[in-house]
């Protein structure tokens, strides 16, 4: 990831409160597979609740750029802004892990 994107993401993460609520459509899209509570119902889908916020954001950027290959995740991430990615990462990171 270019350094400018990395710095932009860090600024977004710093600006988003830990319990930020992402836009409804974004969370609904994620919740379809990962659950509103961050606990996936399918054993093939990872749980997101309590994951490291920076890790989640970096993975979304990797899906968005195509550096991490996954057809469905690329589709979901490609239209998200840095602010939306940061808000989703903060939302799932703030949930209690299981």
């Amino acid at each position: 990831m270019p350094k400018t994107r990395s710095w932009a993401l860090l600024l977004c993460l710093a600006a988003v409160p830990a319990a930020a609520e992402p836009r409804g459509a974004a969370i609904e899209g994620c919740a379809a597979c990962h659950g509103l509570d961050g606990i996936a119902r399918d054993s093939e889908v990872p749980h997101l609740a309590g994951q490291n916020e920076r890790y989640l954001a970096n993975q979304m950027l990797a899906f968005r750029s195509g550096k991490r290959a996954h057809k469905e995740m690329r589709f979901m991430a490609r239209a998200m802004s840095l602010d939306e990615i940061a808000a989703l990462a903060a939302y799932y990171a703030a949930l209690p892990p299981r």
Side-chain angles (χ1 to χ4, degrees), residues 16-76:
V16 177
E21 222 17 76
R23 168 174 72 80
I27 192 63
E28 286 175 12
C30 298
C33 296
H34 297 284
L36 273 175
D37 59 356
I39 306 300
R41 306 303 182 250
D42 185 327
S43 63
E44 298 292 317
V45 178
H47 299 319
L48 301 181
Q51 288 281 353
N52 179 281
E53 185 176 346
R54 183 180 281 176
Y55 170 80
L56 290 173
N58 282 334
Q59 295 313 302
M60 287 300 293
L61 290 174
F63 287 128
R64 187 172 88 162
S65 72
K67 287 182 180 177
R68 183 168 179 189
H70 190 280
K71 183 179 166 185
E72 290 83 6
M73 288 302 301
R74 173 127 169 101
F75 177 80
M76 296 299 292

Side-chain angles (χ1 to χ4, degrees), residues 6-32:
S6 181
W7 281 108
L9 177 62
L10 287 175
L11 288 173
C12 286
L13 287 174
V16 177
E21 222 17 76
R23 168 174 72 80
I27 192 63
E28 286 175 12
C30 298

